Amino acid sequence: MKGAPLRLVQYGLVNSYLVAEDDGFTLVDAGLPGLERSVKRIVKSTGRPLKRITLTHGHTDHFGAVDTLKAADPHLEILVGTEDRRLLAERGCRTLPTHVLKDGDRVGSLLVIATPGHSPATSRTTMNATAPCMPETPSSMCRACMWPAN
């Protein structure tokens, strides 16, 4: 990871994060439709490509820009927990995940920590175990999860 993640906020409550990686960016959650404009602006201004989107779970406020971003780049990786693949389709996401995640997987510099409850496959992407998340904390509010994993 290259520096702190860039926090993207929609309507003051929907959080997504762009994490700079050696090969480009990882987007943690794709917010609501319209987030793609902010992501594309940052990608263009930095010259770093968006390589992957990892979804903490399959609710609509976490995948809103997935279809548009994937349409713009068919090679974009889309990652989600196994149990939330079906939830994405049920809630209207047309893009199929390219990878399914399980506890302990790595996504770029991020470590996946399964925390089911909010959805069948809710997960946290942590970058450092020094500030663990509480399982009942909504992923969109879990700022402690955003540190580099060693």
Side-chain angles (χ1 to χ4, degrees), residues 61-107:
D61 59 333
H62 292 259
F63 70 75
V66 166
D67 289 336
T68 305
L69 289 168
K70 181 70 171 178
D73 182 358
H75 300 291
L76 188 63
E77 295 177 47
I78 309 295
L79 304 98
V80 67
T82 303
E83 298 299 319
D84 274 354
R85 288 180 298 177
R86 178 182 47 79
L87 190 58
L88 287 174
E90 288 173 0
R91 299 214 172 177
C93 185
R94 295 182 314 275
T95 301
L96 296 174
T98 57
H99 299 79
V100 292
L101 299 171
K102 62 185 182 317
D103 189 58
D105 283 348
R106 300 295 289 224
V107 178

Side-chain angles (χ1 to χ4, degrees), residues 26-30 52-57 62 77-81 101 107 110 112 123 125:
T26 296
L27 178 62
V28 178
D29 286 332
R52 65 196 64 81
I53 300 172
T54 183
L55 302 174
T56 59
H57 62 285
H62 292 259
E77 295 177 47
I78 309 295
L79 304 98
V80 67
L101 299 171
V107 178
L110 307 174
V112 175
S123 63
T125 47

